[in-house]
DNA sequence: TAGATTGTTAATCGATTAACAATC
DNA sequence: TAGATTGTTAATCGATTAACAATC
Protein backbone atom coordinates (compact mmCIF):
# COMPACT_ATOMS: atom_id res chain seq x y z
CA UNK A 1 0.00 0.00 0.00
CA UNK A 2 1.20 3.48 -0.88
CA UNK A 3 1.26 5.40 2.36
CA UNK A 4 2.62 8.62 0.92
CA UNK A 5 -0.47 9.98 -0.79
CA UNK A 6 -3.59 10.49 1.25
CA UNK A 7 -6.61 8.60 -0.04
CA UNK A 8 -9.58 10.90 -0.53
CA UNK A 9 -12.73 10.65 1.52
CA UNK A 10 -14.79 10.00 -1.58
CA UNK A 11 -12.78 6.84 -2.25
CA UNK A 12 -12.94 5.68 1.36
CA UNK A 13 -16.71 5.96 1.37
CA UNK A 14 -16.93 3.80 -1.72
CA UNK A 15 -14.81 1.00 -0.29
CA UNK A 16 -17.60 -0.60 1.77
CA UNK A 17 -19.79 -0.49 -1.33
CA UNK A 18 -17.22 -2.40 -3.33
CA UNK A 19 -16.99 -4.83 -0.47
CA UNK A 20 -20.75 -5.32 -0.43
CA UNK A 21 -20.97 -5.91 -4.15
CA UNK A 22 -18.03 -8.29 -4.16
CA UNK A 23 -19.64 -10.22 -1.35
CA UNK A 24 -22.82 -10.56 -3.41
CA UNK A 25 -20.78 -11.68 -6.43
CA UNK A 26 -19.04 -14.33 -4.38
CA UNK A 27 -22.40 -15.61 -3.18
CA UNK A 28 -23.56 -15.96 -6.78
CA UNK A 29 -20.42 -17.92 -7.53
CA UNK A 30 -18.85 -15.33 -9.83
CA UNK A 31 -15.08 -15.82 -9.95
CA UNK A 32 -13.85 -12.91 -12.02
CA UNK A 33 -15.17 -9.50 -12.98
CA UNK A 34 -13.97 -6.65 -15.15
CA UNK A 35 -13.98 -3.06 -14.02
CA UNK A 36 -16.65 -2.48 -16.66
CA UNK A 37 -19.04 -5.08 -15.26
CA UNK A 38 -18.44 -4.07 -11.65
CA UNK A 39 -18.98 -0.42 -12.56
CA UNK A 40 -22.27 -1.24 -14.29
CA UNK A 41 -23.53 -3.02 -11.17
CA UNK A 42 -22.59 -0.08 -9.02
CA UNK A 43 -23.71 2.72 -11.31
CA UNK A 44 -20.29 4.26 -11.59
CA UNK A 45 -17.70 4.33 -14.39
CA UNK A 46 -15.12 1.66 -15.12
CA UNK A 47 -12.46 4.35 -14.95
CA UNK A 48 -13.49 5.19 -11.44
CA UNK A 49 -13.30 1.57 -10.35
CA UNK A 50 -9.76 1.25 -11.69
CA UNK A 51 -8.68 4.59 -10.25
CA UNK A 52 -10.15 3.75 -6.87
CA UNK A 53 -8.51 0.36 -6.64
CA UNK A 54 -5.17 1.66 -7.83
CA UNK A 55 -4.98 3.86 -4.78
CA UNK A 56 -4.09 0.66 -2.98
CA UNK A 57 -2.24 -1.38 -5.56
CA UNK A 58 -2.79 -3.31 -8.77
CA UNK A 59 -5.22 -6.08 -7.97
CA UNK A 60 -6.23 -6.81 -11.55
CA UNK A 61 -4.74 -8.58 -14.55
CA UNK A 62 -4.79 -7.29 -18.11
CA UNK A 63 -7.17 -9.15 -20.33
CA UNK A 64 -8.72 -10.91 -17.34
CA UNK A 65 -10.11 -8.38 -14.90
CA UNK A 66 -10.23 -8.90 -11.16
CA UNK A 67 -10.51 -12.12 -9.20
CA UNK A 68 -13.57 -11.61 -7.01
CA UNK A 69 -12.31 -13.57 -4.01
CA UNK A 70 -8.91 -11.93 -3.96
CA UNK A 71 -10.32 -8.44 -4.43
CA UNK A 72 -12.84 -9.04 -1.67
CA UNK A 73 -10.09 -10.11 0.70
CA UNK A 74 -7.85 -7.21 -0.28
CA UNK A 75 -10.56 -4.61 0.27
CA UNK A 76 -11.39 -6.26 3.57
CA UNK A 77 -7.75 -5.86 4.57
CA UNK A 78 -7.73 -2.21 3.47
CA UNK A 79 -10.82 -1.65 5.61
CA UNK A 80 -9.00 -3.16 8.57
CA UNK A 81 -11.21 -6.23 8.70
CA UNK A 82 -9.94 -9.73 9.19
CA UNK A 83 -9.21 -9.83 12.88
CA UNK A 84 -11.35 -9.02 15.86
CA UNK A 85 -12.00 -5.40 16.74
CA UNK A 86 -13.10 -5.16 20.37
CA UNK A 87 -15.89 -2.61 20.84
CA UNK A 88 -17.96 -1.26 23.67
CA UNK A 89 -21.41 0.32 23.52
CA UNK A 90 -22.10 3.42 25.56
CA UNK A 91 -25.83 3.82 26.04
CA UNK A 92 -28.37 1.01 26.22
CA UNK A 93 -31.39 2.93 24.95
CA UNK A 94 -33.46 1.93 21.95
CA UNK A 95 -30.81 2.72 19.37
CA UNK A 96 -27.96 1.18 21.34
CA UNK A 97 -30.05 -1.93 21.85
CA UNK A 98 -30.84 -2.15 18.15
CA UNK A 99 -27.15 -2.01 17.27
CA UNK A 100 -26.20 -4.50 19.97
CA UNK A 101 -28.73 -6.92 18.53
CA UNK A 102 -27.66 -6.46 14.94
CA UNK A 103 -26.06 -9.72 13.81
CA UNK A 104 -24.02 -8.38 10.93
CA UNK A 105 -21.32 -6.60 12.94
CA UNK A 106 -19.87 -9.46 14.95
CA UNK A 107 -19.36 -11.54 11.81
CA UNK A 108 -17.15 -8.76 10.44
CA UNK A 109 -15.08 -8.73 13.61
CA UNK A 110 -16.81 -5.87 15.43
CA UNK A 111 -17.42 -7.64 18.72
CA UNK A 112 -19.20 -5.70 21.44
CA UNK A 113 -17.59 -6.76 24.71
CA UNK A 114 -19.57 -4.74 27.23
CA UNK A 115 -22.37 -2.23 27.40
CA UNK A 116 -22.20 0.85 29.62
CA UNK A 117 -25.12 2.87 30.89
CA UNK A 118 -26.02 5.18 33.74
CA UNK A 119 -29.39 3.62 34.60
CA UNK A 120 -28.96 1.62 37.84
CA UNK A 121 -32.03 -0.48 37.02
CA UNK A 122 -30.45 -2.21 34.06
CA UNK A 123 -26.87 -2.57 35.29
CA UNK A 124 -25.95 -6.22 35.66
CA UNK A 125 -28.52 -7.27 33.09
CA UNK A 126 -27.66 -8.44 29.59
CA UNK A 127 -28.59 -7.51 26.04
CA UNK A 128 -27.94 -10.14 23.41
CA UNK A 129 -25.84 -11.95 26.02
CA UNK A 130 -23.64 -8.93 26.71
CA UNK A 131 -23.37 -7.54 30.22
CA UNK A 132 -24.40 -3.99 31.07
CA UNK A 133 -21.99 -2.21 33.41
CA UNK A 134 -22.07 1.23 35.00
CA UNK A 135 -20.70 4.02 32.84
CA UNK A 136 -18.25 4.96 35.60
CA UNK A 137 -16.43 1.67 34.94
CA UNK A 138 -16.07 2.34 31.23
CA UNK A 139 -12.71 4.06 31.32
CA UNK A 140 -10.95 1.29 33.20
CA UNK A 141 -12.59 -1.35 31.05
CA UNK A 142 -11.38 0.27 27.84
CA UNK A 143 -7.87 0.59 29.20
CA UNK A 144 -7.64 -2.90 30.68
CA UNK A 145 -9.08 -4.65 27.66
CA UNK A 146 -7.55 -2.64 24.81
CA UNK A 147 -10.94 -1.77 23.43
CA UNK A 148 -10.56 -0.17 20.02
CA UNK A 149 -13.99 1.21 19.22
CA UNK A 150 -16.55 3.01 21.38
CA UNK A 151 -20.05 3.12 19.96
CA UNK A 152 -21.86 6.15 21.29
CA UNK A 153 -25.64 6.03 21.63
CA UNK A 154 -26.15 8.42 24.54
CA UNK A 155 -28.07 11.70 24.83
CA UNK A 156 -25.94 14.55 23.54
CA UNK A 157 -25.75 16.10 26.98
CA UNK A 158 -23.65 13.11 28.07
CA UNK A 159 -21.63 12.68 24.90
CA UNK A 160 -18.71 15.02 25.49
CA UNK A 161 -17.89 13.66 28.93
CA UNK A 162 -17.97 10.07 27.71
CA UNK A 163 -15.81 10.88 24.69
CA UNK A 164 -13.26 12.48 26.98
CA UNK A 165 -13.17 9.38 29.17
CA UNK A 166 -12.82 7.04 26.24
CA UNK A 167 -10.08 9.08 24.61
CA UNK A 168 -8.09 9.24 27.85
CA UNK A 169 -8.40 5.48 28.15
CA UNK A 170 -6.79 5.10 24.73
CA UNK A 171 -9.76 4.43 22.48
CA UNK A 172 -8.85 4.24 18.78
CA UNK A 173 -12.15 5.19 17.20
CA UNK A 174 -15.59 6.52 18.06
CA UNK A 175 -18.77 5.72 16.21
CA UNK A 176 -20.99 8.59 17.21
CA UNK A 177 -24.79 8.52 17.01
CA UNK A 178 -25.39 11.38 19.39
CA UNK A 179 -26.90 14.58 18.08
CA UNK A 180 -23.84 16.80 17.78
CA UNK A 181 -20.68 16.17 15.84
CA UNK A 182 -17.92 15.35 18.26
CA UNK A 183 -14.31 16.31 17.97
CA UNK A 184 -11.31 14.42 19.30
CA UNK A 185 -7.54 14.82 19.31
CA UNK A 186 -5.36 13.67 16.42
CA UNK A 187 -4.79 9.97 16.49
CA UNK A 188 -8.39 9.11 17.27
CA UNK A 189 -10.80 8.36 14.44
CA UNK A 190 -14.42 9.52 14.48
CA UNK A 191 -17.39 8.76 12.29
CA UNK A 192 -20.50 10.77 13.06
CA UNK A 193 -23.83 9.19 12.09
CA UNK A 194 -26.71 11.63 12.05
CA UNK A 195 -29.92 9.83 11.31
CA UNK A 196 -31.95 13.02 11.43
CA UNK A 197 -29.63 14.65 8.89
CA UNK A 198 -30.18 11.72 6.62
CA UNK A 199 -33.96 11.97 6.98
CA UNK A 200 -33.86 15.70 6.23
CA UNK A 201 -31.85 14.98 3.11
CA UNK A 202 -34.67 12.70 2.02
CA UNK A 203 -37.18 15.41 2.73
CA UNK A 204 -35.13 17.83 0.62
CA UNK A 205 -35.11 15.40 -2.28
CA UNK A 206 -38.87 14.85 -2.09
CA UNK A 207 -39.38 18.58 -2.06
CA UNK A 208 -37.03 19.04 -4.99
CA UNK A 209 -39.03 16.56 -7.07
CA UNK A 210 -42.26 18.32 -6.16
CA UNK A 211 -40.85 21.71 -7.19
CA UNK A 212 -39.52 20.37 -10.45
CA UNK A 213 -43.01 19.22 -11.31
CA UNK A 214 -44.45 22.71 -11.03
CA UNK B 1 -35.43 29.66 -5.31
CA UNK B 2 -33.58 29.15 -8.56
CA UNK B 3 -34.95 25.97 -10.04
CA UNK B 4 -32.87 26.00 -13.19
CA UNK B 5 -29.49 24.91 -11.82
CA UNK B 6 -29.30 21.64 -9.96
CA UNK B 7 -27.94 21.91 -6.45
CA UNK B 8 -25.02 19.56 -5.87
CA UNK B 9 -25.20 16.64 -3.50
CA UNK B 10 -22.33 18.06 -1.47
CA UNK B 11 -24.40 21.14 -0.70
CA UNK B 12 -27.54 19.16 0.10
CA UNK B 13 -25.65 17.07 2.63
CA UNK B 14 -24.42 20.20 4.36
CA UNK B 15 -27.89 21.72 4.73
CA UNK B 16 -28.91 19.67 7.78
CA UNK B 17 -25.60 20.61 9.37
CA UNK B 18 -26.31 24.31 8.91
CA UNK B 19 -29.75 23.68 10.33
CA UNK B 20 -28.30 21.97 13.37
CA UNK B 21 -25.80 24.71 14.07
CA UNK B 22 -28.37 27.45 13.60
CA UNK B 23 -30.66 25.66 16.00
CA UNK B 24 -27.87 25.60 18.58
CA UNK B 25 -27.19 29.30 17.99
CA UNK B 26 -30.86 30.12 18.52
CA UNK B 27 -30.82 28.21 21.77
CA UNK B 28 -27.86 30.25 22.95
CA UNK B 29 -29.76 33.41 22.08
CA UNK B 30 -27.49 34.48 19.21
CA UNK B 31 -29.38 36.78 16.85
CA UNK B 32 -26.98 37.38 14.01
CA UNK B 33 -23.92 35.61 12.65
CA UNK B 34 -21.42 36.28 9.89
CA UNK B 35 -20.40 33.67 7.36
CA UNK B 36 -16.97 33.83 8.96
CA UNK B 37 -18.21 32.94 12.45
CA UNK B 38 -20.58 30.25 11.21
CA UNK B 39 -17.82 28.74 9.10
CA UNK B 40 -15.47 28.66 12.10
CA UNK B 41 -18.07 26.75 14.15
CA UNK B 42 -18.54 24.25 11.36
CA UNK B 43 -14.93 23.84 10.30
CA UNK B 44 -15.50 25.02 6.79
CA UNK B 45 -14.61 28.27 4.97
CA UNK B 46 -16.66 31.46 4.96
CA UNK B 47 -16.61 31.34 1.17
CA UNK B 48 -18.26 27.96 1.23
CA UNK B 49 -20.99 29.15 3.57
CA UNK B 50 -21.81 32.06 1.27
CA UNK B 51 -21.65 29.94 -1.87
CA UNK B 52 -23.85 27.26 -0.32
CA UNK B 53 -26.51 29.68 0.85
CA UNK B 54 -26.52 31.57 -2.44
CA UNK B 55 -27.69 28.45 -4.20
CA UNK B 56 -31.04 29.29 -2.69
CA UNK B 57 -31.05 33.07 -2.51
CA UNK B 58 -29.46 35.95 -0.69
CA UNK B 59 -30.35 35.57 2.96
CA UNK B 60 -27.66 37.89 4.30
CA UNK B 61 -27.09 41.61 4.53
CA UNK B 62 -23.83 43.39 3.79
CA UNK B 63 -22.09 44.65 6.86
CA UNK B 64 -24.45 42.66 9.11
CA UNK B 65 -24.28 38.99 8.29
CA UNK B 66 -27.20 36.61 8.62
CA UNK B 67 -30.14 36.76 10.97
CA UNK B 68 -30.06 33.41 12.77
CA UNK B 69 -33.82 32.97 13.11
CA UNK B 70 -34.58 33.87 9.53
CA UNK B 71 -31.79 31.70 8.14
CA UNK B 72 -32.95 28.79 10.29
CA UNK B 73 -36.47 29.13 8.98
CA UNK B 74 -35.30 29.47 5.38
CA UNK B 75 -33.13 26.39 5.52
CA UNK B 76 -35.99 24.52 7.16
CA UNK B 77 -38.19 25.50 4.23
CA UNK B 78 -35.52 24.44 1.73
CA UNK B 79 -35.35 21.08 3.49
CA UNK B 80 -39.10 20.72 3.12
CA UNK B 81 -39.76 21.05 6.84
CA UNK B 82 -42.50 23.14 8.35
CA UNK B 83 -45.57 21.02 7.75
CA UNK B 84 -46.34 17.45 8.63
CA UNK B 85 -44.79 14.67 6.56
CA UNK B 86 -46.78 11.49 7.09
CA UNK B 87 -44.53 8.42 7.33
CA UNK B 88 -44.94 4.70 7.80
CA UNK B 89 -42.42 2.25 9.20
CA UNK B 90 -41.99 -1.10 7.48
CA UNK B 91 -40.41 -3.57 9.87
CA UNK B 92 -40.80 -3.57 13.64
CA UNK B 93 -37.51 -5.23 14.53
CA UNK B 94 -34.93 -3.73 16.83
CA UNK B 95 -33.86 -0.97 14.46
CA UNK B 96 -37.39 -0.09 13.39
CA UNK B 97 -38.39 0.06 17.04
CA UNK B 98 -35.48 2.33 17.87
CA UNK B 99 -36.46 4.77 15.14
CA UNK B 100 -40.13 4.66 16.09
CA UNK B 101 -39.17 5.57 19.64
CA UNK B 102 -36.84 8.37 18.66
CA UNK B 103 -38.43 11.62 19.80
CA UNK B 104 -36.59 13.97 17.48
CA UNK B 105 -38.37 13.08 14.25
CA UNK B 106 -41.98 13.90 15.11
CA UNK B 107 -41.00 17.38 16.30
CA UNK B 108 -39.60 18.05 12.82
CA UNK B 109 -42.83 16.92 11.21
CA UNK B 110 -41.89 13.33 10.42
CA UNK B 111 -44.89 11.63 11.98
CA UNK B 112 -45.04 7.84 11.83
CA UNK B 113 -48.70 6.97 11.31
CA UNK B 114 -48.57 3.18 11.26
CA UNK B 115 -46.10 0.36 11.53
CA UNK B 116 -46.21 -2.65 9.21
CA UNK B 117 -44.74 -6.06 9.88
CA UNK B 118 -45.21 -9.69 8.83
CA UNK B 119 -45.07 -11.21 12.31
CA UNK B 120 -48.63 -12.22 13.30
CA UNK B 121 -47.69 -12.17 16.97
CA UNK B 122 -47.17 -8.43 17.11
CA UNK B 123 -49.89 -7.25 14.76
CA UNK B 124 -52.46 -5.17 16.61
CA UNK B 125 -49.97 -4.20 19.27
CA UNK B 126 -48.44 -0.76 19.57
CA UNK B 127 -44.96 0.74 19.72
CA UNK B 128 -44.73 4.24 21.15
CA UNK B 129 -48.51 4.44 20.80
CA UNK B 130 -48.46 3.57 17.10
CA UNK B 131 -50.41 0.57 15.83
CA UNK B 132 -48.72 -2.34 14.08
CA UNK B 133 -50.61 -3.62 11.04
CA UNK B 134 -49.94 -6.50 8.67
CA UNK B 135 -47.59 -5.72 5.83
CA UNK B 136 -50.23 -6.83 3.32
CA UNK B 137 -52.28 -3.77 4.30
CA UNK B 138 -49.43 -1.37 3.70
CA UNK B 139 -50.15 -0.56 0.08
CA UNK B 140 -53.75 0.46 0.67
CA UNK B 141 -52.81 2.43 3.73
CA UNK B 142 -50.21 4.44 1.84
CA UNK B 143 -52.64 5.15 -0.95
CA UNK B 144 -55.61 6.03 1.24
CA UNK B 145 -53.67 8.28 3.58
CA UNK B 146 -51.28 10.00 1.18
CA UNK B 147 -48.27 8.76 3.09
CA UNK B 148 -45.15 10.50 1.82
CA UNK B 149 -42.28 8.58 3.36
CA UNK B 150 -41.74 4.86 3.89
CA UNK B 151 -39.04 3.97 6.40
CA UNK B 152 -37.61 0.59 5.56
CA UNK B 153 -36.17 -1.54 8.37
CA UNK B 154 -36.81 -5.02 6.99
CA UNK B 155 -34.44 -7.88 6.10
CA UNK B 156 -33.01 -7.35 2.65
CA UNK B 157 -34.80 -10.41 1.32
CA UNK B 158 -38.09 -8.55 1.83
CA UNK B 159 -36.96 -5.11 0.77
CA UNK B 160 -37.53 -5.20 -2.98
CA UNK B 161 -41.09 -6.45 -2.74
CA UNK B 162 -42.02 -3.83 -0.16
CA UNK B 163 -40.42 -1.05 -2.17
CA UNK B 164 -42.43 -2.13 -5.20
CA UNK B 165 -45.65 -2.01 -3.20
CA UNK B 166 -44.90 1.38 -1.73
CA UNK B 167 -43.93 2.88 -5.08
CA UNK B 168 -47.11 1.58 -6.72
CA UNK B 169 -49.10 3.13 -3.92
CA UNK B 170 -47.55 6.51 -4.70
CA UNK B 171 -44.93 6.89 -2.01
CA UNK B 172 -42.79 9.99 -2.42
CA UNK B 173 -39.62 8.90 -0.65
CA UNK B 174 -37.97 5.86 0.87
CA UNK B 175 -35.57 5.90 3.80
CA UNK B 176 -33.79 2.61 3.38
CA UNK B 177 -31.94 0.82 6.18
CA UNK B 178 -31.91 -2.60 4.56
CA UNK B 179 -28.61 -4.08 3.49
CA UNK B 180 -28.65 -3.44 -0.24
CA UNK B 181 -29.04 -0.15 -2.05
CA UNK B 182 -32.49 0.04 -3.54
CA UNK B 183 -33.46 1.63 -6.80
CA UNK B 184 -36.77 3.21 -7.70
CA UNK B 185 -38.31 4.95 -10.70
CA UNK B 186 -37.81 8.65 -11.39
CA UNK B 187 -40.03 10.79 -9.25
CA UNK B 188 -39.38 8.80 -6.08
CA UNK B 189 -36.62 9.90 -3.73
CA UNK B 190 -34.38 7.43 -1.91
CA UNK B 191 -31.81 7.78 0.81
CA UNK B 192 -29.89 4.64 1.66
CA UNK B 193 -28.46 4.37 5.17
CA UNK B 194 -25.86 1.68 5.57
CA UNK B 195 -24.77 1.44 9.16
CA UNK B 196 -22.29 -1.30 8.43
CA UNK B 197 -20.68 0.82 5.70
CA UNK B 198 -20.30 3.58 8.21
CA UNK B 199 -18.69 1.28 10.75
CA UNK B 200 -16.26 -0.05 8.13
CA UNK B 201 -15.30 3.51 7.28
CA UNK B 202 -14.40 3.99 10.92
CA UNK B 203 -12.36 0.81 10.84
CA UNK B 204 -10.52 2.11 7.76
CA UNK B 205 -9.69 5.35 9.51
CA UNK B 206 -8.39 3.56 12.60
CA UNK B 207 -6.26 1.38 10.39
CA UNK B 208 -4.97 4.40 8.47
CA UNK B 209 -3.84 6.06 11.69
CA UNK B 210 -2.10 2.87 12.79
CA UNK B 211 -0.24 2.58 9.47
CA UNK B 212 0.80 6.21 9.51
CA UNK B 213 2.47 5.59 12.85
CA UNK B 214 4.74 2.91 11.42
C1' DT C 1 -1.88 -14.90 -31.86
C1' DA C 2 -5.99 -11.78 -31.30
C1' DG C 3 -9.02 -9.93 -28.07
C1' DA C 4 -9.72 -8.19 -23.73
C1' DT C 5 -8.77 -5.41 -20.07
C1' DT C 6 -5.69 -3.47 -17.02
C1' DG C 7 -2.77 0.53 -14.93
C1' DT C 8 -1.77 5.09 -15.73
C1' DT C 9 -1.38 9.57 -17.97
C1' DA C 10 -3.94 13.38 -19.80
C1' DA C 11 -8.31 15.97 -20.30
C1' DT C 12 -12.44 17.45 -18.35
C1' DC C 13 -15.53 18.63 -15.11
C1' DG C 14 -17.14 20.32 -10.78
C1' DA C 15 -16.48 21.94 -6.19
C1' DT C 16 -13.90 24.82 -3.12
C1' DT C 17 -11.37 28.90 -2.14
C1' DA C 18 -9.88 33.62 -2.96
C1' DA C 19 -10.71 38.21 -4.20
C1' DC C 20 -13.24 42.30 -4.45
C1' DA C 21 -16.83 45.63 -5.84
C1' DA C 22 -21.28 46.65 -3.92
C1' DT C 23 -23.60 48.26 -0.06
C1' DC C 24 -25.62 48.08 4.52
C1' DT D 1 -19.03 58.22 7.27
C1' DA D 2 -15.99 54.14 8.12
C1' DG D 3 -15.99 49.40 8.94
C1' DA D 4 -17.93 45.14 8.13
C1' DT D 5 -19.62 41.73 5.41
C1' DT D 6 -22.24 40.23 1.75
C1' DG D 7 -23.04 38.28 -3.17
C1' DT D 8 -20.60 37.04 -7.03
C1' DT D 9 -16.87 36.49 -10.33
C1' DA D 10 -12.43 34.51 -11.09
C1' DA D 11 -8.72 31.28 -9.70
C1' DT D 12 -7.47 27.05 -7.83
C1' DC D 13 -7.76 22.62 -6.49
C1' DG D 14 -9.28 17.96 -6.61
C1' DA D 15 -12.09 14.30 -8.36
C1' DT D 16 -13.99 12.03 -12.29
C1' DT D 17 -13.76 10.58 -16.97
C1' DA D 18 -11.41 9.51 -21.28
C1' DA D 19 -7.76 7.60 -23.78
C1' DC D 20 -4.31 4.39 -24.76
C1' DA D 21 0.06 1.81 -24.41
C1' DA D 22 1.25 -2.32 -21.93
C1' DT D 23 0.38 -7.01 -21.51
C1' DC D 24 -2.10 -11.13 -20.04
Amino acid sequence: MNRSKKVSDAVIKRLPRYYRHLSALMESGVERISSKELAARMNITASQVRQDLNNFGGFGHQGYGYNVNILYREIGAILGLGGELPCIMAGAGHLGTAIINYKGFASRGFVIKKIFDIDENIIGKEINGIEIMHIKDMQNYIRDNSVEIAMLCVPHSAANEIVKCAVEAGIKGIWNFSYHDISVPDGVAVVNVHLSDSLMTLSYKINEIKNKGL
Side-chain angles (χ1 to χ4, degrees), chain A residues 41-53:
Chain A
R41 281 184 70 105
M42 294 179 66
N43 262 312
I44 55 179
T45 64
S47 259
Q48 185 162 58
V49 170
R50 296 203 296 279
Q51 288 280 19
D52 282 355
L53 298 179

Side-chain angles (χ1 to χ4, degrees), chain A residues 183-203:
Chain A
S183 52
V184 292
D186 276 1
V188 179
V190 176
V191 170
N192 294 298
V193 182
H194 293 301
L195 295 182
S196 57
D197 282 19
S198 155
L199 185 53
M200 285 191 245
T201 304
L202 178 61
S203 165

Side-chain angles (χ1 to χ4, degrees), chain A residues 19-38:
Chain A
Y19 198 66
R20 222 168 341 110
H21 281 269
L22 288 164
S23 158
L25 285 165
M26 276 167 63
E27 272 175 37
S28 351
V30 176
E31 268 182 25
R32 53 171 282 245
I33 194 159
S34 67
S35 58
K36 195 179 159 193
E37 289 170 296
L38 184 54

Side-chain angles (χ1 to χ4, degrees), chain A residues 129-214:
Chain A
I130 304 161
E131 187 193 3
I132 306 173
M133 295 173 67
H134 195 282
I135 192 77
K136 71 174 160 43
D137 299 321
M138 187 188 74
Q139 191 165 34
N140 283 335
Y141 187 87
I142 291 173
R143 193 167 3 232
D144 297 345
N145 297 275
S146 304
V147 174
E148 302 231 339
I149 293 175
M151 299 170 166
L152 207 63
C153 293
V154 300
H156 71 267
S157 55
N160 279 334
E161 184 60 27
I162 293 175
V163 167
K164 207 174 135 235
C165 264
V167 167
E168 278 172 16
I171 205 78
K172 299 277 192 302
I174 294 173
W175 198 28
N176 175 43
F177 285 82
S178 73
Y179 186 68
H180 292 292
D181 288 351
I182 58 168
S183 52
V184 292
D186 276 1
V188 179
V190 176
V191 170
N192 294 298
V193 182
H194 293 301
L195 295 182
S196 57
D197 282 19
S198 155
L199 185 53
M200 285 191 245
T201 304
L202 178 61
S203 165
Y204 175 88
K205 288 183 179 180
I206 291 173
N207 213 28
E208 190 187 36
I209 290 169
K210 278 183 198 163
N211 289 334
K212 227 182 333 194
L214 292 181

Side-chain angles (χ1 to χ4, degrees), chain A residues 1-163:
Chain A
M1 192 193 306
N2 184 351
R3 284 198 196 103
S4 58
K5 85 167 163 256
K6 169 94 174 141
V7 177
S8 82
D9 240 51
V11 174
I12 296 169
K13 280 205 190 124
R14 278 194 293 273
L15 289 175
R17 270 192 89 212
Y18 286 115
Y19 198 66
R20 222 168 341 110
H21 281 269
L22 288 164
S23 158
L25 285 165
M26 276 167 63
E27 272 175 37
S28 351
V30 176
E31 268 182 25
R32 53 171 282 245
I33 194 159
S34 67
S35 58
K36 195 179 159 193
E37 289 170 296
L38 184 54
R41 281 184 70 105
M42 294 179 66
N43 262 312
I44 55 179
T45 64
S47 259
Q48 185 162 58
V49 170
R50 296 203 296 279
Q51 288 280 19
D52 282 355
L53 298 179
N54 275 84
N55 277 287
F56 306 101
F59 304 131
H61 302 283
Q62 281 104 327
Y64 170 87
Y66 299 84
N67 179 289
V68 172
N69 277 273
I70 292 173
L71 189 55
Y72 177 80
R73 216 169 41 232
E74 290 285 359
I75 292 182
I78 293 163
L79 286 168
L81 310 178
E84 186 184 299
L85 281 152
C87 307
I88 59 99
M89 170 62 73
H94 288 293
L95 185 58
T97 301
I99 288 166
I100 293 161
N101 279 292
Y102 184 72
K103 306 300 175 199
F105 299 140
S107 65
R108 296 264 158 81
F110 300 97
V111 180
I112 300 175
K113 297 293 190 180
K114 293 283 178 195
I115 302 157
F116 296 91
D117 202 284
I118 203 166
D119 179 359
E120 301 279 359
N121 298 313
I122 60 171
I123 286 158
K125 293 187 181 165
E126 294 187 345
I127 298 173
N128 199 25
I130 304 161
E131 187 193 3
I132 306 173
M133 295 173 67
H134 195 282
I135 192 77
K136 71 174 160 43
D137 299 321
M138 187 188 74
Q139 191 165 34
N140 283 335
Y141 187 87
I142 291 173
R143 193 167 3 232
D144 297 345
N145 297 275
S146 304
V147 174
E148 302 231 339
I149 293 175
M151 299 170 166
L152 207 63
C153 293
V154 300
H156 71 267
S157 55
N160 279 334
E161 184 60 27
I162 293 175
V163 167

